[in-house]
Amino acid sequence: MKFTYHSGHQPLPGYTIKRGIGLGGFGEVYFAVTDGGKEVALKWIRANQDIEMRGVQQCLNLKHPNLVHLYDVRTDDQGHHWLVMEYVAGEPLSTIFSRHPNGVASELAGQWFHGLAQAIHCLHEHGIVHRDLKPGNIFLENGLIKVGDYGLCKLIADSQKAGMTKDVGTVHYMAPEISTGNYNRQIDVYAAGILLYEMLTGHVPFEGESAGEILMKHLTVQPDLTRVPKEFVPILQKALVKNPAHRYATIQEMAKDVAAVVNPNQPMQPLPMKSPASAPTHSVADYPMAISVTSTMIFQQRWSELSGILLWSVLAAAILTLGWALIFDAYDKLPQTFFLVLAASWSVLIPSKLWLPEGKDLQEPSKADHDSWTRRLLHMTLGFAVGIFALYLDGYEMPLPWKPTADFEVLHPWQANPETQQVLSRSWVGRMYGSENTSMPIIACYLSYFGLMFLILRWWKTTVPDRSKRLSIMAVLGVGFWSYILLFLLPSVHQREVGFASLVMASVVCQVTCPWKEKVPVRKKKMRLATA
Amino acid sequence: MTNEPTAPTLDNLHEQQAPFALWIDGVGGYLVCLSHRVTLGQALTENPVDIALIADVSRHHATIQRDPEGYFLEAVRKVHMNGKKIDKALLRSTDRITLGNSCQLQFWQPVPVSTSARLDIVSGHRFAEPVQAAILMADTLVIGPSTQSHIHVPDMTQPLILFRTKSGLAARWPGEMQIAGKTVRDRGPLEPGTTLATDQISLALEKIR
Amino acid sequence: MRILLALAGSISMWFFCAPSCAQPKEVVFPKALLPGTVTGHGETVELAKKAAKNKAIGEITRGLKLQAFVLTETYLDKQVVDEGQPGKDVAVDNILAPFKAWEFTFRSDKPWWTDVIRRDHDAQRKLRTDDRLTWTARAVLGLSILLLAGVGYVRLDEYTQGRYTTWLRLAGVSVATTALAGTWWYVVSGQ
């Protein structure tokens, strides 16, 4: 961390900086002591327009035990704006979450949520939408929740506009309707729901490798509530619903439900803040966050992931086939096998990356099975294409209508392999299947072998990121087994060896190149102490 | 009171051994006590205890003495250690010290090879200085990524070590660092009032009182 | 379920293809394409035999329109022709000794010509395979360069945090164009 000011500096008269605390999205935060001895946090706001300070000024006189208090806004000699705030000695929830990767006990979560809800309620009652609720903004000081960074939303919106892809952290808490630009205080309810989920499980419900992916999940995927204690499930369902009209209308309602779950015997006191009927409700629509998930963005993101995978698959296929050829001394079959491995693995990789499971299946693609047959049929079609490609590589003259037919008989792929002497091969495939398939037309041999291999097995399962192992030997063995069963279909020993080896290696290539996320085992929660 | 200077040389020594504040950017503030004998008591304007506490404790409530055998806690007023009332006791890492009725501190020796220790308040009270913890520095003070550091900074890749020299303090860091604006390599002298910055950490030493 | 499906699939495939795949029919000696016998001439019997064999190979290659398979004399002896018999010597002017002749009759007891044709098909297939492998290699190479340009652009853009987007795009597009042009050139020049 590089801070502009160091211990002992006095950017504002009367305030002596002791140390830097952190670098936020919109400036540096320092710990400072006033001449009188008051400890404060100084936030150097790197924004020049006075108009942007209005949001802060609106919040300056808010008083609530669960809010980080703002003391003053000052301007130094150089025209920099400084926000003087209460110094919170505790830790941000982000630090606490990282210490509790499986979440905290529901009693504690309920207690924290109560504080959070009170703070949000206070903001909402004053017509302020926080818009950037996240663990880094919420502190725990002596067991008391303190919400900070409110009133700076406009600045945050701008900083995110500039660097959306870099600042992935905040998109985890972003309500789906933010992408439409038309939203209200219920985005805070949604964020509070995500925070409650994270308190209970240690994870945010929607994780991903890029901002686009996460935003997409916010828009389309139902959160997986199986890891949440079951009494919280209806609350989170209602808080995380995509349509704000079906969400909790106020944070109070949600807090009441949470309190009822945590302390079923003693109903929680209603939140103390009474709403003044005439509280001005500031529209936030004039500060739309310019984040919209467009289909081009999703397409770009998937496309870039896919091209990376395809590129790796070329390398993986090359290494594997080379190794295979070295071991089995099959150099004559090497190029053919390499291209078939590539064709087979691409016909698995491309559809499984472009046709992602939708809805809640996106969360756990490995469990998605209801469109299994559609996928199988798609794969079978691609298997046919691979078969045709194998036929092409084997040098069969394609009987295309625009090609002049030969005067004399040409071995068309729809004739069977003419009977020849039994070929004895020293490879085991050859020994097992010494006799050649002379009863089926050659094209049928190829199509049925590759088509069935793709139909029988659920190839896409080996590409989902939440598969149990990166490289499952069982999956490879499965391919080997079925391939062996169907091997009689291929016309000759040479083609059998190539066909068998290429599909087995394609299965390895698919698994090796597809990104994989290790599953965090869900452990039983124990009561954990609040960290002071 | 306890370290009444008796000779000019000792006065000099006392000056050297005065506690200082260590401010580490992005991490926290620490009160570093160099003396082998450290007093604990209430924070009052004209009260020269080494570790001043804003708590319901006496002006001079207890003393921690570093001997070759280890740290001894000597009670001046009511002191409990791990729930037992004591007058004098040997401190071990993770021992809990209760001064008076409520102010509770935890004693740590996180680095096995270093005798330096750390005192954290666990009862929600505060030090007079706005610091997180007090550090009783013997010979070395380890600031590093390992949990076996006096000050744990997860983002670092290698530890920064502060150590005593004949004339004062020095820092050791494998690489370049800026001490008071000057670039030095590997090691350099430090004194209260200077700043130190490496590519991974920046800190300042401040003379107090 | 999967097993049933597999069986059903393969059987249906069989039926589906059955009408168009009659078994190879009994082939009679293709008189229209090949002469019954070939005669070779030479100064000695040995040379005459050799000439006759060469002639037979030529007849077969022409008659059966072989394109890739090269008949060897051994194959000829073993499969195609009978023992042969001496033919009429041919007297040539100015040469003292007459030319010897040797006559081979193509065997018609077993369909060796289908075997020759099959071997020619196999050899043709082999040639085409080599040709097609070269094509595919070029296509895969071109595709890999395209992918590399795309992925490299995205990764570098991320790495430089969007500071050189325009330059990277230009570089990416030029690499891609070069790859495409290279592939195209290969296609054209290879034709």
Side-chain angles (χ1 to χ4, degrees), chain A residues 369-517:
Chain A
D369 229 355
H370 58 264
D371 55 0
S372 162
W373 287 104
T374 339
R375 274 177 189 273
R376 279 172 198 244
L377 287 174
L378 173 79
H379 274 101
M380 187 175 72
T381 318
L382 290 166
F384 288 157
V386 175
I388 298 279
F389 181 61
L391 203 67
Y392 170 83
L393 285 185
D394 262 338
Y396 284 101
E397 193 63 271
M398 296 291 163
L400 300 170
W402 57 86
K403 283 213 173 169
T405 42
D407 308 345
F408 202 71
E409 272 180 277
V410 167
L411 183 59
H412 280 300
W414 29 69
Q415 290 169 335
N417 206 23
E419 216 131 359
T420 51
Q421 280 115 0
Q422 196 153 311
V423 183
L424 283 173
S425 168
R426 60 194 176 83
S427 85
W428 63 271
V429 174
R431 275 204 298 277
M432 294 288 181
Y433 284 110
S435 70
E436 307 207 328
N437 180 1
T438 56
S439 55
M440 268 171 92
I442 288 161
I443 191 166
C445 296
Y446 280 85
L447 290 190
S448 56
Y449 172 72
F450 286 101
L452 285 175
M453 278 304 291
F454 276 83
L455 180 72
I456 293 169
L457 294 155
R458 287 171 297 178
W459 285 80
W460 68 94
K461 295 265 174 187
T462 60
T463 63
V464 291
D466 63 332
R467 56 190 188 271
S468 56
K469 278 183 225 150
R470 169 145 220 153
L471 177 61
S472 154
I473 299 300
M474 279 320 286
V476 180
L477 285 181
V479 173
F481 172 76
W482 280 105
S483 170
Y484 186 73
I485 296 271
L486 295 178
L487 220 47
F488 71 92
L489 289 168
L490 284 177
S492 74
V493 172
H494 169 90
Q495 287 141 354
R496 281 172 189 160
E497 285 178 2
V498 171
F500 181 82
S502 56
L503 285 192
V504 171
M505 287 194 281
S507 149
V508 177
V509 168
C510 290
Q511 297 186 57
V512 168
T513 49
C514 270
W516 174 67
K517 263 184 279 180

Side-chain angles (χ1 to χ4, degrees), chain A residues 213-496:
Chain A
E213 189 184 342
I214 296 164
L215 288 173
M216 191 60 214
K217 286 184 179 174
H218 278 300
L219 279 168
T220 57
V221 180
Q222 294 303 321
D224 167 26
L225 299 177
T226 52
R227 288 192 284 182
V228 174
K230 67 174 186 308
E231 62 272 22
F232 284 95
V233 168
I235 299 177
L236 285 172
Q237 262 167 354
K238 200 169 172 193
L240 298 180
V241 75
K242 311 286 176 213
N243 184 347
H246 300 147
R247 216 175 283 155
Y248 282 108
T250 63
I251 191 80
Q252 253 178 319
E253 283 177 35
M254 186 179 172
K256 217 166 88 187
D257 284 358
V258 172
V261 162
V262 178
N263 301 319
N265 300 328
Q266 47 184 125
M268 182 85 84
Q269 294 293 309
L271 292 171
M273 184 63 76
K274 283 280 143 232
S275 82
S278 61
T281 315
H282 290 261
S283 162
V284 289
D286 46 338
Y287 298 142
M289 284 190 206
I291 294 170
S292 55
V293 184
T294 57
S295 54
T296 43
M297 207 168 103
I298 299 156
F299 177 76
Q300 271 177 0
Q301 193 241 325
R302 285 190 191 173
W303 185 246
S304 99
E305 188 193 358
L306 178 65
S307 26
I309 291 175
L310 293 187
L311 204 57
W312 278 116
S313 69
V314 176
L315 194 70
I319 293 171
L320 264 178
T321 16
L322 205 62
W324 168 77
L326 272 174
I327 293 169
F328 293 100
D329 194 22
Y331 297 104
D332 55 329
K333 305 182 194 89
L334 186 136
Q336 222 174 328
T337 314
F338 169 69
F339 293 132
L340 268 185
V341 170
L342 218 53
S345 51
W346 284 18
S347 54
V348 173
L349 292 171
I350 295 175
S352 53
K353 285 295 144 190
L354 292 184
W355 178 16
L356 289 178
E358 281 160 18
K360 70 174 195 300
D361 297 339
L362 194 50
Q363 202 60 25
E364 274 188 288
S366 62
K367 300 231 173 85
D369 229 355
H370 58 264
D371 55 0
S372 162
W373 287 104
T374 339
R375 274 177 189 273
R376 279 172 198 244
L377 287 174
L378 173 79
H379 274 101
M380 187 175 72
T381 318
L382 290 166
F384 288 157
V386 175
I388 298 279
F389 181 61
L391 203 67
Y392 170 83
L393 285 185
D394 262 338
Y396 284 101
E397 193 63 271
M398 296 291 163
L400 300 170
W402 57 86
K403 283 213 173 169
T405 42
D407 308 345
F408 202 71
E409 272 180 277
V410 167
L411 183 59
H412 280 300
W414 29 69
Q415 290 169 335
N417 206 23
E419 216 131 359
T420 51
Q421 280 115 0
Q422 196 153 311
V423 183
L424 283 173
S425 168
R426 60 194 176 83
S427 85
W428 63 271
V429 174
R431 275 204 298 277
M432 294 288 181
Y433 284 110
S435 70
E436 307 207 328
N437 180 1
T438 56
S439 55
M440 268 171 92
I442 288 161
I443 191 166
C445 296
Y446 280 85
L447 290 190
S448 56
Y449 172 72
F450 286 101
L452 285 175
M453 278 304 291
F454 276 83
L455 180 72
I456 293 169
L457 294 155
R458 287 171 297 178
W459 285 80
W460 68 94
K461 295 265 174 187
T462 60
T463 63
V464 291
D466 63 332
R467 56 190 188 271
S468 56
K469 278 183 225 150
R470 169 145 220 153
L471 177 61
S472 154
I473 299 300
M474 279 320 286
V476 180
L477 285 181
V479 173
F481 172 76
W482 280 105
S483 170
Y484 186 73
I485 296 271
L486 295 178
L487 220 47
F488 71 92
L489 289 168
L490 284 177
S492 74
V493 172
H494 169 90
Q495 287 141 354
R496 281 172 189 160

Side-chain angles (χ1 to χ4, degrees), chain A residues 1-3 5-7 16 18-22 30-31 33 39 87 89 142 532, chain B residues 23-29 124 126 129-130 132 155 195 198-200 202 204 206:
Chain A
M1 279 189 252
K2 286 278 171 265
F3 289 91
Y5 293 98
H6 296 296
S7 190
T16 309
K18 295 291 180 191
R19 63 181 178 88
I21 294 175
Y30 294 95
F31 169 66
V33 178
E39 296 165 12
Y87 170 66
N142 296 333
Chain B
W23 304 108
I24 307 179
D25 286 333
V27 179
R126 316 190 18 158
E129 304 296 328
Q132 263 87 336
D155 298 336
T195 57
T198 73
D199 55 337
Q200 291 178 13
S202 55
E206 190 195 5

